[in-house]
Amino acid sequence: RKTIKELPNFQLRGSRGLDYSYCYPQAEFNEETVLFDLNYFKYCFLKATELDFHELKLQANFRMFAKDLTSEKMDAFLYRDFQARNIMLDANGKPQFIDFQGGRKGPYYYDLASFLWQASAKYPFKLRRELVFEYYNSLKHFTEVPSKRHFVNRLSLFVLFRLLQVLGAYGFRGYFERKKHFIDSIPPAIQNLRDVLSLGEKVFPYPYMLDMLKRLTQLPQ
């Protein structure tokens, strides 16, 4: 809870006066970087499963997804790898953040999705929901916030995106580099994906991508 409450401070106050041109390798979260991550998922994870899919139809949905993810104004520092192992506690139990060298200007939803849907954490639904609203209430101190409904719907898009991104990384590190930790992380990540897809087309208006991902979650592990 302390960590979640502190995150908006890091993202919003931390971005004030920050010269994003120093961010490496990208200064800003944009459609191009989204498509790069989605294609990383396609080539490093999806193709390795040998699931049959129509590449052009999937790519068309990827472009729609990328456009939606970047459709709102983004004025926060996007940490990019905000997860439990990058949060240290000092002598007083206060969270301190490390390993944000991939940061850039971007949407604040991304880091919340990264933290609460990290595959190995296995947060229960009730706790996850509580922490989403802890974050939402803390965010109000730093910026004007959208309605709760809009916030949750936007967050869902970033949860799906983050899950695909990490599956791409697990595929590369696990299937190709044969690292056990990443192979072991795939089943819980697939379960997270299965849960998120249950929100359906109302939240994710990408019918072909949704159908393909549902078939992916039905493959034997």
Side-chain angles (χ1 to χ4, degrees), residues 4-66:
I4 282 295
K5 285 178 180 176
E6 188 61 28
L7 177 58
N9 181 36
F10 191 92
Q11 294 171 309
L12 276 296
R13 277 188 62 225
S15 71
R16 292 174 196 164
L18 181 63
D19 183 350
Y20 282 102
S21 68
Y22 285 103
C23 293
Y24 180 86
Q26 289 287 335
E28 188 171 359
F29 180 88
N30 55 29
E31 280 188 53
E32 188 181 358
T33 59
V34 171
L35 286 169
F36 177 87
D37 284 336
L38 291 174
N39 285 321
Y40 186 56
F41 159 74
K42 181 173 71 175
Y43 290 114
C44 292
F45 188 85
L46 185 58
K47 285 194 175 238
T49 67
E50 299 184 351
L51 182 77
D52 185 43
F53 66 94
H54 193 293
E55 197 141 358
L56 290 178
K57 286 181 181 177
L58 181 61
Q59 202 63 29
N61 273 195
F62 275 178
R63 282 194 291 272
M64 289 166 63
F65 191 28

Short mmCIF file of all heavy atoms in Angstrom, two decimals, residues 4-66:
data_model
loop_
_atom_site.label_atom_id
_atom_site.label_comp_id
_atom_site.label_asym_id
_atom_site.label_seq_id
_atom_site.Cartn_x
_atom_site.Cartn_y
_atom_site.Cartn_z
N ILE A 4 2.25 1.66 -3.57
CA ILE A 4 1.23 2.12 -4.51
C ILE A 4 0.92 3.60 -4.29
O ILE A 4 0.73 4.36 -5.25
CB ILE A 4 -0.04 1.25 -4.38
CG1 ILE A 4 0.18 -0.09 -5.09
CG2 ILE A 4 -1.27 1.94 -4.93
CD1 ILE A 4 0.36 0.01 -6.59
N LYS A 5 0.85 4.02 -3.02
CA LYS A 5 0.57 5.43 -2.73
C LYS A 5 1.72 6.34 -3.18
O LYS A 5 1.52 7.50 -3.52
CB LYS A 5 0.33 5.62 -1.23
CG LYS A 5 -1.04 5.12 -0.76
CD LYS A 5 -1.18 5.32 0.74
CE LYS A 5 -2.54 4.82 1.23
NZ LYS A 5 -2.65 4.91 2.70
N GLU A 6 2.94 5.81 -3.13
CA GLU A 6 4.12 6.60 -3.48
C GLU A 6 4.33 6.70 -5.00
O GLU A 6 4.95 7.65 -5.49
CB GLU A 6 5.36 5.99 -2.82
CG GLU A 6 6.63 6.80 -2.92
CD GLU A 6 6.54 8.18 -2.27
OE1 GLU A 6 5.76 8.35 -1.31
OE2 GLU A 6 7.25 9.09 -2.73
N LEU A 7 3.81 5.73 -5.74
CA LEU A 7 4.05 5.69 -7.19
C LEU A 7 3.63 6.96 -7.92
O LEU A 7 4.40 7.49 -8.73
CB LEU A 7 3.38 4.44 -7.80
CG LEU A 7 3.47 4.29 -9.32
CD1 LEU A 7 4.92 4.27 -9.80
CD2 LEU A 7 2.75 3.01 -9.78
N PRO A 8 2.41 7.53 -7.69
CA PRO A 8 2.04 8.75 -8.42
C PRO A 8 2.98 9.93 -8.13
O PRO A 8 3.24 10.75 -9.00
CB PRO A 8 0.62 9.05 -7.91
CG PRO A 8 0.11 7.76 -7.39
CD PRO A 8 1.30 7.05 -6.84
N ASN A 9 3.50 9.98 -6.90
CA ASN A 9 4.47 11.01 -6.54
C ASN A 9 5.70 10.91 -7.42
O ASN A 9 6.20 11.90 -7.97
CB ASN A 9 4.84 10.86 -5.06
CG ASN A 9 5.82 11.91 -4.59
OD1 ASN A 9 5.78 13.05 -5.01
ND2 ASN A 9 6.73 11.52 -3.70
N PHE A 10 6.19 9.69 -7.58
CA PHE A 10 7.37 9.43 -8.41
C PHE A 10 7.09 9.78 -9.87
O PHE A 10 7.90 10.42 -10.55
CB PHE A 10 7.74 7.94 -8.28
CG PHE A 10 9.08 7.58 -8.86
CD1 PHE A 10 10.22 7.58 -8.07
CD2 PHE A 10 9.20 7.21 -10.20
CE1 PHE A 10 11.46 7.24 -8.60
CE2 PHE A 10 10.43 6.86 -10.73
CZ PHE A 10 11.57 6.89 -9.93
N GLN A 11 5.92 9.36 -10.36
CA GLN A 11 5.58 9.55 -11.77
C GLN A 11 5.27 11.01 -12.13
O GLN A 11 5.69 11.50 -13.18
CB GLN A 11 4.34 8.73 -12.13
CG GLN A 11 4.53 7.22 -12.06
CD GLN A 11 3.21 6.51 -12.23
OE1 GLN A 11 2.23 6.83 -11.54
NE2 GLN A 11 3.15 5.56 -13.12
N LEU A 12 4.49 11.68 -11.28
CA LEU A 12 4.01 13.02 -11.61
C LEU A 12 4.94 14.13 -11.13
O LEU A 12 5.34 14.99 -11.91
CB LEU A 12 2.60 13.24 -11.05
CG LEU A 12 1.42 12.73 -11.89
CD1 LEU A 12 1.33 13.45 -13.20
CD2 LEU A 12 1.40 11.24 -12.08
N ARG A 13 5.32 14.09 -9.84
CA ARG A 13 6.27 15.10 -9.36
C ARG A 13 7.63 14.88 -9.99
O ARG A 13 8.35 15.83 -10.30
CB ARG A 13 6.40 15.06 -7.83
CG ARG A 13 5.29 15.84 -7.12
CD ARG A 13 5.52 15.95 -5.62
NE ARG A 13 6.74 16.65 -5.29
CZ ARG A 13 7.62 16.23 -4.37
NH1 ARG A 13 7.41 15.14 -3.69
NH2 ARG A 13 8.69 16.93 -4.11
N GLY A 14 7.96 13.62 -10.19
CA GLY A 14 9.25 13.29 -10.80
C GLY A 14 9.39 13.77 -12.24
O GLY A 14 10.51 13.96 -12.73
N SER A 15 8.27 13.96 -12.91
CA SER A 15 8.33 14.38 -14.32
C SER A 15 8.48 15.89 -14.48
O SER A 15 8.82 16.37 -15.56
CB SER A 15 7.08 13.91 -15.06
OG SER A 15 5.95 14.66 -14.66
N ARG A 16 8.21 16.64 -13.41
CA ARG A 16 8.26 18.10 -13.51
C ARG A 16 9.69 18.59 -13.77
O ARG A 16 10.60 18.31 -12.99
CB ARG A 16 7.72 18.75 -12.23
CG ARG A 16 6.22 18.54 -12.04
CD ARG A 16 5.75 19.07 -10.70
NE ARG A 16 4.42 18.53 -10.36
CZ ARG A 16 3.90 18.57 -9.16
NH1 ARG A 16 4.58 19.10 -8.17
NH2 ARG A 16 2.70 18.06 -8.93
N GLY A 17 9.85 19.28 -14.87
CA GLY A 17 11.17 19.82 -15.21
C GLY A 17 12.15 18.79 -15.74
O GLY A 17 13.33 19.11 -15.98
N LEU A 18 11.71 17.55 -15.91
CA LEU A 18 12.61 16.51 -16.41
C LEU A 18 12.83 16.67 -17.91
O LEU A 18 11.87 16.83 -18.67
CB LEU A 18 12.00 15.13 -16.12
CG LEU A 18 12.81 13.90 -16.54
CD1 LEU A 18 14.13 13.83 -15.79
CD2 LEU A 18 12.01 12.62 -16.26
N ASP A 19 14.07 16.64 -18.32
CA ASP A 19 14.41 16.73 -19.74
C ASP A 19 14.36 15.33 -20.34
O ASP A 19 15.28 14.54 -20.17
CB ASP A 19 15.80 17.34 -19.91
CG ASP A 19 16.19 17.55 -21.38
OD1 ASP A 19 15.45 17.04 -22.26
OD2 ASP A 19 17.21 18.19 -21.63
N TYR A 20 13.26 15.03 -21.03
CA TYR A 20 13.06 13.68 -21.55
C TYR A 20 14.00 13.32 -22.69
O TYR A 20 14.08 12.15 -23.07
CB TYR A 20 11.59 13.50 -21.99
CG TYR A 20 10.65 13.27 -20.83
CD1 TYR A 20 9.84 14.29 -20.34
CD2 TYR A 20 10.58 12.03 -20.19
CE1 TYR A 20 8.98 14.09 -19.27
CE2 TYR A 20 9.73 11.82 -19.12
CZ TYR A 20 8.93 12.85 -18.66
OH TYR A 20 8.09 12.64 -17.60
N SER A 21 14.70 14.30 -23.23
CA SER A 21 15.64 13.98 -24.32
C SER A 21 16.79 13.11 -23.81
O SER A 21 17.49 12.48 -24.59
CB SER A 21 16.19 15.26 -24.96
OG SER A 21 17.03 15.95 -24.04
N TYR A 22 16.99 13.06 -22.47
CA TYR A 22 18.04 12.21 -21.90
C TYR A 22 17.60 10.76 -21.76
O TYR A 22 18.42 9.89 -21.45
CB TYR A 22 18.47 12.74 -20.53
CG TYR A 22 19.33 13.98 -20.60
CD1 TYR A 22 18.79 15.23 -20.32
CD2 TYR A 22 20.68 13.90 -20.95
CE1 TYR A 22 19.57 16.38 -20.39
CE2 TYR A 22 21.47 15.04 -21.02
CZ TYR A 22 20.91 16.27 -20.75
OH TYR A 22 21.68 17.40 -20.83
N CYS A 23 16.30 10.50 -21.93
CA CYS A 23 15.82 9.12 -21.77
C CYS A 23 16.30 8.25 -22.92
O CYS A 23 16.22 8.63 -24.09
CB CYS A 23 14.29 9.10 -21.70
SG CYS A 23 13.64 9.87 -20.22
N TYR A 24 16.78 7.06 -22.57
CA TYR A 24 17.36 6.16 -23.56
C TYR A 24 16.72 4.78 -23.41
O TYR A 24 16.53 4.33 -22.29
CB TYR A 24 18.89 6.06 -23.33
CG TYR A 24 19.58 5.15 -24.31
CD1 TYR A 24 20.00 5.63 -25.54
CD2 TYR A 24 19.77 3.80 -24.01
CE1 TYR A 24 20.61 4.78 -26.46
CE2 TYR A 24 20.38 2.96 -24.91
CZ TYR A 24 20.80 3.45 -26.14
OH TYR A 24 21.40 2.61 -27.04
N PRO A 25 16.35 4.09 -24.47
CA PRO A 25 16.57 4.45 -25.88
C PRO A 25 15.44 5.28 -26.49
O PRO A 25 15.53 5.69 -27.63
CB PRO A 25 16.63 3.08 -26.56
CG PRO A 25 15.70 2.23 -25.75
CD PRO A 25 15.82 2.72 -24.35
N GLN A 26 14.35 5.53 -25.73
CA GLN A 26 13.23 6.30 -26.26
C GLN A 26 12.86 7.42 -25.29
O GLN A 26 12.84 7.21 -24.08
CB GLN A 26 12.00 5.39 -26.43
CG GLN A 26 12.10 4.38 -27.57
CD GLN A 26 11.97 5.03 -28.93
OE1 GLN A 26 11.37 6.08 -29.07
NE2 GLN A 26 12.53 4.40 -29.95
N ALA A 27 12.53 8.59 -25.85
CA ALA A 27 12.14 9.72 -25.00
C ALA A 27 10.67 9.64 -24.61
O ALA A 27 10.27 10.20 -23.60
CB ALA A 27 12.40 11.04 -25.73
N GLU A 28 9.87 8.92 -25.42
CA GLU A 28 8.43 8.94 -25.18
C GLU A 28 7.77 7.64 -25.60
O GLU A 28 8.18 6.99 -26.56
CB GLU A 28 7.82 10.11 -25.97
CG GLU A 28 6.36 10.36 -25.65
CD GLU A 28 5.85 11.65 -26.30
OE1 GLU A 28 6.65 12.34 -26.98
OE2 GLU A 28 4.67 11.97 -26.10
N PHE A 29 6.75 7.25 -24.86
CA PHE A 29 5.88 6.12 -25.20
C PHE A 29 5.02 6.55 -26.38
O PHE A 29 4.30 7.53 -26.29
CB PHE A 29 5.03 5.81 -23.97
CG PHE A 29 4.05 4.67 -24.12
CD1 PHE A 29 4.44 3.37 -23.84
CD2 PHE A 29 2.73 4.91 -24.50
CE1 PHE A 29 3.54 2.32 -23.93
CE2 PHE A 29 1.82 3.86 -24.59
CZ PHE A 29 2.23 2.56 -24.31
N ASN A 30 5.10 5.83 -27.51
CA ASN A 30 4.32 6.21 -28.68
C ASN A 30 3.89 4.96 -29.46
O ASN A 30 4.21 3.83 -29.07
CB ASN A 30 5.12 7.16 -29.58
CG ASN A 30 6.48 6.58 -29.99
OD1 ASN A 30 6.64 5.37 -30.09
ND2 ASN A 30 7.45 7.45 -30.20
N GLU A 31 3.15 5.16 -30.55
CA GLU A 31 2.63 4.03 -31.33
C GLU A 31 3.75 3.11 -31.81
O GLU A 31 3.62 1.89 -31.82
CB GLU A 31 1.82 4.53 -32.54
CG GLU A 31 0.41 4.96 -32.19
CD GLU A 31 -0.41 5.25 -33.44
OE1 GLU A 31 -0.48 4.40 -34.33
OE2 GLU A 31 -0.99 6.35 -33.52
N GLU A 32 4.85 3.71 -32.22
CA GLU A 32 5.97 2.92 -32.73
C GLU A 32 6.52 1.96 -31.67
O GLU A 32 6.77 0.78 -31.95
CB GLU A 32 7.07 3.88 -33.21
CG GLU A 32 8.20 3.17 -33.95
CD GLU A 32 9.29 4.14 -34.39
OE1 GLU A 32 9.14 5.36 -34.16
OE2 GLU A 32 10.29 3.67 -34.95
N THR A 33 6.68 2.46 -30.45
CA THR A 33 7.23 1.61 -29.38
C THR A 33 6.21 0.54 -28.97
O THR A 33 6.59 -0.58 -28.62
CB THR A 33 7.66 2.42 -28.16
OG1 THR A 33 6.55 3.16 -27.64
CG2 THR A 33 8.77 3.39 -28.49
N VAL A 34 4.91 0.89 -29.01
CA VAL A 34 3.86 -0.11 -28.71
C VAL A 34 3.92 -1.23 -29.73
O VAL A 34 3.90 -2.42 -29.37
CB VAL A 34 2.47 0.55 -28.68
CG1 VAL A 34 1.38 -0.53 -28.60
CG2 VAL A 34 2.34 1.50 -27.51
N LEU A 35 3.98 -0.88 -31.01
CA LEU A 35 4.01 -1.90 -32.07
C LEU A 35 5.28 -2.75 -31.98
O LEU A 35 5.24 -3.95 -32.25
CB LEU A 35 3.91 -1.24 -33.45
CG LEU A 35 2.51 -0.72 -33.78
CD1 LEU A 35 2.54 0.15 -35.04
CD2 LEU A 35 1.52 -1.88 -33.96
N PHE A 36 6.38 -2.14 -31.56
CA PHE A 36 7.61 -2.91 -31.37
C PHE A 36 7.38 -4.01 -30.32
O PHE A 36 7.75 -5.17 -30.53
CB PHE A 36 8.75 -1.99 -30.93
CG PHE A 36 10.04 -2.72 -30.66
CD1 PHE A 36 10.95 -2.97 -31.66
CD2 PHE A 36 10.32 -3.19 -29.37
CE1 PHE A 36 12.12 -3.68 -31.41
CE2 PHE A 36 11.50 -3.89 -29.11
CZ PHE A 36 12.40 -4.13 -30.13
N ASP A 37 6.76 -3.64 -29.18
CA ASP A 37 6.52 -4.60 -28.10
C ASP A 37 5.51 -5.67 -28.52
O ASP A 37 5.64 -6.84 -28.16
CB ASP A 37 6.04 -3.89 -26.84
CG ASP A 37 7.17 -3.18 -26.11
OD1 ASP A 37 8.33 -3.58 -26.27
OD2 ASP A 37 6.89 -2.22 -25.37
N LEU A 38 4.48 -5.27 -29.27
CA LEU A 38 3.48 -6.24 -29.73
C LEU A 38 4.10 -7.23 -30.72
O LEU A 38 3.79 -8.42 -30.70
CB LEU A 38 2.28 -5.52 -30.36
CG LEU A 38 1.41 -4.72 -29.39
CD1 LEU A 38 0.35 -3.92 -30.15
CD2 LEU A 38 0.75 -5.63 -28.35
N ASN A 39 4.98 -6.74 -31.57
CA ASN A 39 5.66 -7.64 -32.52
C ASN A 39 6.68 -8.53 -31.82
O ASN A 39 6.91 -9.67 -32.23
CB ASN A 39 6.30 -6.83 -33.65
CG ASN A 39 5.27 -6.33 -34.64
OD1 ASN A 39 4.32 -7.04 -34.97
ND2 ASN A 39 5.42 -5.10 -35.11
N TYR A 40 7.26 -8.02 -30.75
CA TYR A 40 8.18 -8.83 -29.92
C TYR A 40 7.39 -10.02 -29.36
O TYR A 40 7.86 -11.17 -29.38
CB TYR A 40 8.71 -7.95 -28.81
CG TYR A 40 9.79 -8.56 -27.93
CD1 TYR A 40 10.96 -9.05 -28.48
CD2 TYR A 40 9.63 -8.59 -26.54
CE1 TYR A 40 11.95 -9.58 -27.66
CE2 TYR A 40 10.62 -9.12 -25.72
CZ TYR A 40 11.78 -9.61 -26.29
OH TYR A 40 12.76 -10.12 -25.49
N PHE A 41 6.18 -9.76 -28.88
CA PHE A 41 5.30 -10.83 -28.40
C PHE A 41 4.99 -11.82 -29.53
O PHE A 41 5.06 -13.03 -29.35
CB PHE A 41 3.99 -10.24 -27.86
CG PHE A 41 2.84 -11.21 -27.80
CD1 PHE A 41 2.79 -12.21 -26.83
CD2 PHE A 41 1.81 -11.16 -28.74
CE1 PHE A 41 1.74 -13.13 -26.79
CE2 PHE A 41 0.75 -12.07 -28.70
CZ PHE A 41 0.72 -13.05 -27.73
N LYS A 42 4.69 -11.28 -30.70
CA LYS A 42 4.31 -12.13 -31.84
C LYS A 42 5.46 -13.06 -32.25
O LYS A 42 5.26 -14.26 -32.42
CB LYS A 42 3.89 -11.27 -33.03
CG LYS A 42 3.47 -12.08 -34.25
CD LYS A 42 2.90 -11.19 -35.36
CE LYS A 42 3.95 -10.36 -36.02
NZ LYS A 42 3.43 -9.58 -37.17
N TYR A 43 6.65 -12.50 -32.37
CA TYR A 43 7.77 -13.30 -32.88
C TYR A 43 8.44 -14.16 -31.82
O TYR A 43 8.90 -15.27 -32.12
CB TYR A 43 8.81 -12.39 -33.55
CG TYR A 43 8.31 -11.80 -34.84
CD1 TYR A 43 8.09 -10.43 -34.98
CD2 TYR A 43 8.02 -12.62 -35.93
CE1 TYR A 43 7.60 -9.89 -36.16
CE2 TYR A 43 7.52 -12.08 -37.12
CZ TYR A 43 7.32 -10.73 -37.23
OH TYR A 43 6.82 -10.20 -38.41
N CYS A 44 8.50 -13.67 -30.56
CA CYS A 44 9.24 -14.41 -29.53
C CYS A 44 8.36 -15.35 -28.70
O CYS A 44 8.88 -16.25 -28.05
CB CYS A 44 9.96 -13.44 -28.60
SG CYS A 44 11.29 -12.57 -29.42
N PHE A 45 7.04 -15.13 -28.74
CA PHE A 45 6.18 -16.02 -27.96
C PHE A 45 5.14 -16.71 -28.83
O PHE A 45 5.08 -17.94 -28.90
CB PHE A 45 5.47 -15.25 -26.84
CG PHE A 45 4.73 -16.15 -25.89
CD1 PHE A 45 5.37 -16.74 -24.83
CD2 PHE A 45 3.38 -16.46 -26.09
CE1 PHE A 45 4.70 -17.61 -23.96
CE2 PHE A 45 2.70 -17.32 -25.25
CZ PHE A 45 3.36 -17.89 -24.18
N LEU A 46 4.33 -15.93 -29.51
CA LEU A 46 3.21 -16.48 -30.26
C LEU A 46 3.65 -17.48 -31.32
O LEU A 46 3.12 -18.60 -31.41
CB LEU A 46 2.41 -15.34 -30.90
CG LEU A 46 1.14 -15.71 -31.64
CD1 LEU A 46 0.16 -16.45 -30.74
CD2 LEU A 46 0.48 -14.46 -32.21
N LYS A 47 4.64 -17.12 -32.13
CA LYS A 47 5.08 -18.03 -33.20
C LYS A 47 5.72 -19.29 -32.64
O LYS A 47 5.61 -20.36 -33.24
CB LYS A 47 6.04 -17.30 -34.15
CG LYS A 47 5.31 -16.32 -35.06
CD LYS A 47 6.17 -15.85 -36.22
CE LYS A 47 5.33 -14.98 -37.15
NZ LYS A 47 5.26 -15.47 -38.50
N ALA A 48 6.33 -19.16 -31.47
CA ALA A 48 6.96 -20.34 -30.85
C ALA A 48 5.93 -21.37 -30.39
O ALA A 48 6.24 -22.55 -30.26
CB ALA A 48 7.83 -19.90 -29.67
N THR A 49 4.68 -20.93 -30.17
CA THR A 49 3.63 -21.87 -29.75
C THR A 49 3.07 -22.66 -30.94
O THR A 49 2.36 -23.64 -30.75
CB THR A 49 2.44 -21.14 -29.09
OG1 THR A 49 1.78 -20.34 -30.09
CG2 THR A 49 2.89 -20.27 -27.94
N GLU A 50 3.37 -22.17 -32.16
CA GLU A 50 2.87 -22.78 -33.41
C GLU A 50 1.35 -22.70 -33.54
O GLU A 50 0.73 -23.47 -34.27
CB GLU A 50 3.36 -24.22 -33.56
CG GLU A 50 4.89 -24.31 -33.62
CD GLU A 50 5.41 -25.72 -33.87
OE1 GLU A 50 4.63 -26.68 -33.84
OE2 GLU A 50 6.63 -25.84 -34.11
N LEU A 51 0.73 -21.75 -32.83
CA LEU A 51 -0.69 -21.49 -32.99
C LEU A 51 -0.93 -20.89 -34.38
O LEU A 51 -0.19 -20.02 -34.81
CB LEU A 51 -1.17 -20.50 -31.92
CG LEU A 51 -2.66 -20.17 -31.91
CD1 LEU A 51 -3.46 -21.31 -31.28
CD2 LEU A 51 -2.91 -18.89 -31.11
N ASP A 52 -1.97 -21.37 -35.04
CA ASP A 52 -2.28 -20.86 -36.38
C ASP A 52 -2.99 -19.51 -36.27
O ASP A 52 -3.96 -19.39 -35.52
CB ASP A 52 -3.18 -21.88 -37.10
CG ASP A 52 -3.44 -21.47 -38.55
OD1 ASP A 52 -2.48 -21.05 -39.22
OD2 ASP A 52 -4.60 -21.56 -39.00
N PHE A 53 -2.51 -18.50 -36.98
CA PHE A 53 -3.18 -17.19 -36.97
C PHE A 53 -2.91 -16.46 -38.28
O PHE A 53 -1.95 -16.74 -38.99
CB PHE A 53 -2.73 -16.34 -35.77
CG PHE A 53 -1.28 -15.91 -35.80
CD1 PHE A 53 -0.93 -14.68 -36.33
CD2 PHE A 53 -0.28 -16.73 -35.28
CE1 PHE A 53 0.40 -14.27 -36.34
CE2 PHE A 53 1.05 -16.33 -35.30
CZ PHE A 53 1.39 -15.09 -35.83
N HIS A 54 -3.79 -15.50 -38.58
CA HIS A 54 -3.71 -14.71 -39.81
C HIS A 54 -2.90 -13.45 -39.49
O HIS A 54 -3.38 -12.56 -38.80
CB HIS A 54 -5.12 -14.35 -40.29
CG HIS A 54 -5.15 -13.81 -41.68
ND1 HIS A 54 -4.61 -12.60 -42.03
CD2 HIS A 54 -5.69 -14.33 -42.83
CE1 HIS A 54 -4.80 -12.38 -43.31
NE2 HIS A 54 -5.46 -13.41 -43.82
N GLU A 55 -1.70 -13.38 -40.03
CA GLU A 55 -0.77 -12.31 -39.64
C GLU A 55 -1.28 -10.91 -39.98
O GLU A 55 -1.15 -9.99 -39.17
CB GLU A 55 0.59 -12.55 -40.31
CG GLU A 55 1.70 -11.77 -39.65
CD GLU A 55 3.01 -12.53 -39.55
OE1 GLU A 55 3.08 -13.70 -39.94
OE2 GLU A 55 3.96 -11.92 -39.06
N LEU A 56 -1.89 -10.73 -41.16
CA LEU A 56 -2.36 -9.40 -41.56
C LEU A 56 -3.53 -8.92 -40.70
O LEU A 56 -3.61 -7.76 -40.32
CB LEU A 56 -2.75 -9.39 -43.04
CG LEU A 56 -1.59 -9.51 -44.03
CD1 LEU A 56 -2.10 -9.54 -45.46
CD2 LEU A 56 -0.59 -8.37 -43.86
N LYS A 57 -4.45 -9.84 -40.39
CA LYS A 57 -5.58 -9.48 -39.52
C LYS A 57 -5.09 -9.11 -38.13
O LYS A 57 -5.58 -8.16 -37.52
CB LYS A 57 -6.58 -10.65 -39.43
CG LYS A 57 -7.41 -10.86 -40.68
CD LYS A 57 -8.39 -12.01 -40.47
CE LYS A 57 -9.23 -12.26 -41.72
NZ LYS A 57 -10.12 -13.43 -41.53
N LEU A 58 -4.13 -9.87 -37.63
CA LEU A 58 -3.58 -9.59 -36.29
C LEU A 58 -2.87 -8.24 -36.29
O LEU A 58 -3.04 -7.44 -35.37
CB LEU A 58 -2.63 -10.70 -35.86
CG LEU A 58 -2.02 -10.52 -34.47
CD1 LEU A 58 -3.10 -10.48 -33.39
CD2 LEU A 58 -1.02 -11.63 -34.17
N GLN A 59 -2.11 -7.97 -37.34
CA GLN A 59 -1.37 -6.71 -37.41
C GLN A 59 -2.32 -5.51 -37.47
O GLN A 59 -2.06 -4.47 -36.87
CB GLN A 59 -0.43 -6.72 -38.63
CG GLN A 59 0.73 -5.75 -38.53
CD GLN A 59 1.68 -6.07 -37.38
OE1 GLN A 59 1.83 -7.21 -36.97
NE2 GLN A 59 2.31 -5.04 -36.83
N ALA A 60 -3.44 -5.67 -38.17
CA ALA A 60 -4.44 -4.59 -38.24
C ALA A 60 -5.00 -4.29 -36.86
O ALA A 60 -5.16 -3.12 -36.48
CB ALA A 60 -5.56 -4.99 -39.19
N ASN A 61 -5.27 -5.34 -36.08
CA ASN A 61 -5.75 -5.15 -34.70
C ASN A 61 -4.67 -4.58 -33.80
O ASN A 61 -4.95 -3.76 -32.92
CB ASN A 61 -6.28 -6.46 -34.13
CG ASN A 61 -7.73 -6.72 -34.46
OD1 ASN A 61 -8.38 -7.58 -33.87
ND2 ASN A 61 -8.30 -5.98 -35.41
N PHE A 62 -3.42 -4.98 -34.03
CA PHE A 62 -2.30 -4.41 -33.27
C PHE A 62 -2.23 -2.89 -33.48
O PHE A 62 -2.00 -2.13 -32.54
CB PHE A 62 -0.97 -5.04 -33.71
CG PHE A 62 -0.62 -6.34 -33.03
CD1 PHE A 62 0.53 -7.03 -33.38
CD2 PHE A 62 -1.42 -6.88 -32.03
CE1 PHE A 62 0.88 -8.23 -32.76
CE2 PHE A 62 -1.09 -8.08 -31.40
CZ PHE A 62 0.07 -8.75 -31.78
N ARG A 63 -2.43 -2.45 -34.74
CA ARG A 63 -2.36 -1.01 -35.03
C ARG A 63 -3.49 -0.25 -34.33
O ARG A 63 -3.27 0.84 -33.79
CB ARG A 63 -2.41 -0.77 -36.55
CG ARG A 63 -1.07 -1.03 -37.24
CD ARG A 63 -1.05 -0.47 -38.64
NE ARG A 63 -1.93 -1.20 -39.53
CZ ARG A 63 -1.57 -2.27 -40.23
NH1 ARG A 63 -0.34 -2.74 -40.14
NH2 ARG A 63 -2.43 -2.89 -41.02
N MET A 64 -4.69 -0.84 -34.30
CA MET A 64 -5.81 -0.23 -33.58
C MET A 64 -5.51 -0.13 -32.09
O MET A 64 -5.78 0.88 -31.44
CB MET A 64 -7.09 -1.07 -33.80
CG MET A 64 -7.66 -0.99 -35.19
SD MET A 64 -8.90 -2.31 -35.45
CE MET A 64 -10.14 -1.85 -34.24
N PHE A 65 -4.96 -1.21 -31.56
CA PHE A 65 -4.62 -1.28 -30.13
C PHE A 65 -3.58 -0.22 -29.79
O PHE A 65 -3.71 0.52 -28.80
CB PHE A 65 -4.10 -2.69 -29.84
CG PHE A 65 -3.93 -3.04 -28.38
CD1 PHE A 65 -4.70 -2.45 -27.40
CD2 PHE A 65 -3.00 -4.01 -28.01
CE1 PHE A 65 -4.54 -2.79 -26.05
CE2 PHE A 65 -2.84 -4.37 -26.67
CZ PHE A 65 -3.61 -3.75 -25.70
N ALA A 66 -2.55 -0.09 -30.62
CA ALA A 66 -1.48 0.89 -30.40
C ALA A 66 -2.04 2.31 -30.43
O ALA A 66 -1.65 3.16 -29.63
CB ALA A 66 -0.39 0.73 -31.46
#
